[in-house]
Amino acid sequence: MTPDRVFVTLGGLAAVAVIVWFFWLGKRPGVKASLTSGGYQEAMILVKGGYTPDVIVVERGKPVRLNFVRAESALCSEMVLLPDFKKSARLPEGETVPIEFIPDKPGEFEFQCQMGMLRGKLVVE
Ligand SMILES: [Cu+2]
């Protein structure tokens, strides 16, 4: 291997390491739900090839309203499930579908499509 090949190889490895760190290991801070006049902690979640944002932070004990907006027709995202809160909803394309519940225990709870391919997380503090 010539020195420039070694350099390119190391550069490539470094890039892979950064990508792995960013996507799998890096701690994403999440988006804090905003408190609205009705006393709900609300967040808008875009459903399109995934959930955006995919980490929502809320406070324990206060009612939460997650507004899912599905902007695609892919079957995969037709339903959203929050198994820990026994909630699920069908998401018609283009409509805003609120899911309301009270997070009564701290922790991290996943929400997902019915096949578990799209995933997001609710962090209760
Ligand atoms: Cu799916």
Side-chain angles (χ1 to χ4, degrees):
M1 253 202 235
T2 57
D4 62 321
R5 292 298 281 154
V6 170
F7 182 78
V8 167
T9 305
L10 289 179
L13 287 176
V16 167
V18 166
I19 289 166
V20 166
W21 177 83
F22 185 81
F23 285 103
W24 288 293
L25 306 175
K27 187 162 167 54
R28 283 165 298 184
V31 172
K32 198 156 173 47
S34 47
L35 201 61
T36 55
S37 53
Y40 280 90
Q41 311 179 77
E42 291 204 46
M44 199 78 144
I45 300 167
L46 175 69
V47 183
K48 192 178 184 186
Y51 300 111
T52 312
D54 63 349
V55 180
I56 319 279
V57 182
V58 298
E59 278 175 46
R60 177 189 172 186
K62 293 180 189 162
V64 167
R65 183 183 290 144
L66 301 178
N67 298 301
F68 288 88
V69 185
R70 179 159 164 254
E72 65 178 0
S73 55
L75 266 180
C76 182
S77 57
E78 194 178 27
M79 296 276 297
V80 64
L81 279 66
L82 286 93
D84 295 297
F85 299 99
K86 297 186 171 60
K87 294 279 178 188
S88 68
R90 184 167 290 279
L91 306 176
E93 189 180 356
E95 282 179 35
T96 302
V97 179
I99 294 187
E100 299 173 6
F101 55 91
I102 296 178
D104 50 5
K105 48 191 185 288
E108 298 190 347
F109 308 98
E110 289 213 324
F111 53 90
Q112 59 172 74
C113 70
Q114 72 267 41
M115 311 95 148
M117 279 132 69
L118 311 180
R119 288 172 183 276
K121 196 164 64 176
L122 184 81
V123 179
V124 182
E125 302 188 321

